[in-house]
Amino acid sequence: MLSPELIQKLNNPPRKTINLVIKLNPEKMNFVSMVINGYDRIALPRTRNGKEGILDLIASPDFIDDLYLILEDLKKNYDPTLEIIEELGDNWIVAVK
């Protein structure tokens, strides 16, 4: 018989990536992308819609807490309009729409 701990682990496999969709001032998208790249590529930024200022951030679950801290700091000190509008999980079909 399997232990309850093992059953819980089997029912909750680790996620491969976390895909965040953020919205910010379109004029500041390049800077935000460079900041994220500057942190040893803590996430992979990808422009979804440049005119609307929508950016995808694809990150490892190991670094998501650090990514949230970076986004909070960018919002506080650089672009107050920055907001996380969606977390797509690791569903790539939704992420590439």
Side-chain angles (χ1 to χ4, degrees), residues 76-95:
K76 179 181 173 187
N77 295 310
Y78 187 69
D79 183 5
T81 67
L82 188 149
E83 63 177 321
I84 298 170
I85 57 174
E86 192 171 5
E87 181 183 327
L88 300 175
D90 58 4
N91 185 344
W92 284 93
I93 294 172
V94 174

Side-chain angles (χ1 to χ4, degrees), residues 33-45 58-60 63 66-67 70:
S33 291
M34 287 190 302
V35 167
I36 291 169
N37 280 329
Y39 278 97
D40 291 330
R41 301 190 55 87
I42 198 163
L44 175 65
I58 303 166
S60 165
F63 297 112
D66 295 328
L67 180 58
I70 292 166

Side-chain angles (χ1 to χ4, degrees), residues 13-61:
R15 290 168 51 178
K16 295 177 185 174
T17 60
I18 295 176
N19 302 318
L20 297 179
V21 181
I22 65 171
K23 184 174 172 85
L24 63 153
N25 182 336
E27 296 175 358
K28 301 186 179 189
M29 287 180 69
N30 188 41
F31 177 79
V32 170
S33 291
M34 287 190 302
V35 167
I36 291 169
N37 280 329
Y39 278 97
D40 291 330
R41 301 190 55 87
I42 198 163
L44 175 65
R46 185 176 64 182
T47 302
R48 182 178 287 227
N49 187 324
K51 289 182 181 179
E52 293 182 22
I54 298 176
L55 191 67
D56 287 341
L57 301 175
I58 303 166
S60 165

Side-chain angles (χ1 to χ4, degrees), residues 63-80:
F63 297 112
I64 195 67
D65 292 334
D66 295 328
L67 180 58
Y68 276 114
L69 290 174
I70 292 166
L71 292 174
E72 284 177 30
D73 186 64
L74 285 168
K75 180 179 175 102
K76 179 181 173 187
N77 295 310
Y78 187 69
D79 183 5

